[in-house]
Amino acid sequence: MTVVVKLGGSVVTEKDQPETVAADRLADLAGALGDANLDDLVVVHGGGSFGHPHAAEHGISSSEGKRDAAAVRDVAGAMAELNTAVVGALADAGVPAVPVHPFSVGYRTADGDLRFPTDQLAAMLDEGFVPVLHGDVLTQVGAGATIVSGDELVTHVASELNADRVGLCSTVPGVLDESGDVVREITDYEDVAAALGGSNATDVTGGMAAKVRALLALGAPAFVFGPDALSAFLAGEDAGTRIEG
Ligand code: IP8
């Protein structure tokens, strides 16, 4: 059973305090991952108050690039620092976690397509390691460097490794309907199009729309849930919103 879990940046950092790890929350999540009994686990984490402020300061986004080595060092450096904290918390909880820094692994084509090999991740899993990736800067042909989000890496890695289950641990307890209630199951984007701002909504604000569409296309069940539900997800239960196309 291969499981890919994303720990949202707002979950593992204090979003309003620059470069501050949410140490207690991270330790709880790491504990849940340490207690889980999984053959193959890949962890991806977001940027929170580490990567995002630097990316904004340098005017870099997933579509806007900069040919600026200092900017790359800033963003990649902040994300490496957060990754060290996440890997450390997982190690403290007994997880055989190892760091994987996406800037050094992949790139984007001039069209923005992600080229990110995963053979090395499969080899790490075979050797009993738990790779821990993160949203990062990525070289883009003709554009310098752009941002790759943790979500984009989750869907890419899950699909390349034929993951059996995917979990997105976020600050919200699931995908919410117009009344603010958790939608238990999504099998078609139209189920939630109205609540998520219409089927043509883009993800410029990091919203749920593109996330749901990408997860529907995955071919494995994906779950969006809050930190309290991580243990249930890892135990194989349905947690938060189940998304499967
Ligand atoms: O928090 C973005 O990853 P996300 C990471 O998953 C950076 O969107 C470097 C801003």
Side-chain angles (χ1 to χ4, degrees):
M1 162 87 75
T2 300
V3 175
V4 179
V5 174
K6 174 169 180 213
L7 304 177
S10 316
V11 179
V12 296
T13 73
E14 300 295 353
K15 202 88 198 261
D16 302 331
Q17 293 168 42
E19 302 198 5
T20 306
V21 175
D24 291 346
R25 218 157 37 225
L26 177 56
D28 286 349
L29 297 171
L33 288 160
D35 290 342
N37 201 4
L38 300 167
D39 302 336
D40 289 329
L41 171 66
V42 177
V43 176
V44 180
H45 63 83
S49 63
F50 283 74
H52 286 283
H54 289 285
E57 178 195 325
H58 292 290
I60 307 177
S61 68
S62 53
S63 54
E64 282 299 308
K66 278 276 159 64
R67 203 169 281 115
D68 177 352
V72 170
R73 289 194 298 271
D74 264 4
V75 181
M79 287 310 301
E81 200 183 313
L82 175 58
N83 184 253
T84 299
V86 174
V87 169
L90 288 166
D92 289 346
V95 177
V98 294
V100 176
H101 302 302
F103 181 75
S104 308
V105 176
Y107 71 101
R108 285 190 199 281
T109 65
D111 293 334
D113 292 341
L114 186 59
R115 294 283 186 271
F116 193 87
T118 54
D119 287 1
Q120 80 288 5
L121 299 178
M124 288 176 206
L125 294 174
D126 286 347
E127 296 306 313
F129 298 129
V130 170
V132 183
L133 293 72
H134 52 85
D136 207 356
V137 263
L138 216 52
T139 306
Q140 177 160 340
V141 174
T146 52
I147 295 295
V148 62
S149 72
D151 289 348
E152 196 178 351
L153 290 170
V154 164
T155 45
H156 176 78
V157 165
S159 125
E160 294 292 308
L161 296 178
N162 290 318
D164 299 287
R165 280 162 71 82
V166 173
L168 299 187
C169 180
S170 117
T171 46
V172 285
V175 180
L176 305 181
D177 66 18
E178 287 123 308
S179 329
D181 296 324
V182 173
V183 179
R184 286 291 157 208
E185 188 173 31
I186 301 172
T187 55
D188 187 319
Y189 187 77
E190 292 310 315
D191 296 350
V192 286
L196 298 184
S199 53
N200 291 322
T202 55
D203 199 27
V204 283
T205 55
M208 208 50 104
K211 199 178 294 209
V212 168
R213 269 198 294 259
L215 295 173
L216 277 168
L218 204 54
F223 299 84
V224 177
F225 51 81
D228 295 347
L230 177 60
S231 295
F233 165 77
L234 295 169
E237 296 165 23
D238 279 11
T241 302
R242 180 189 176 101
I243 303 172
E244 189 171 15

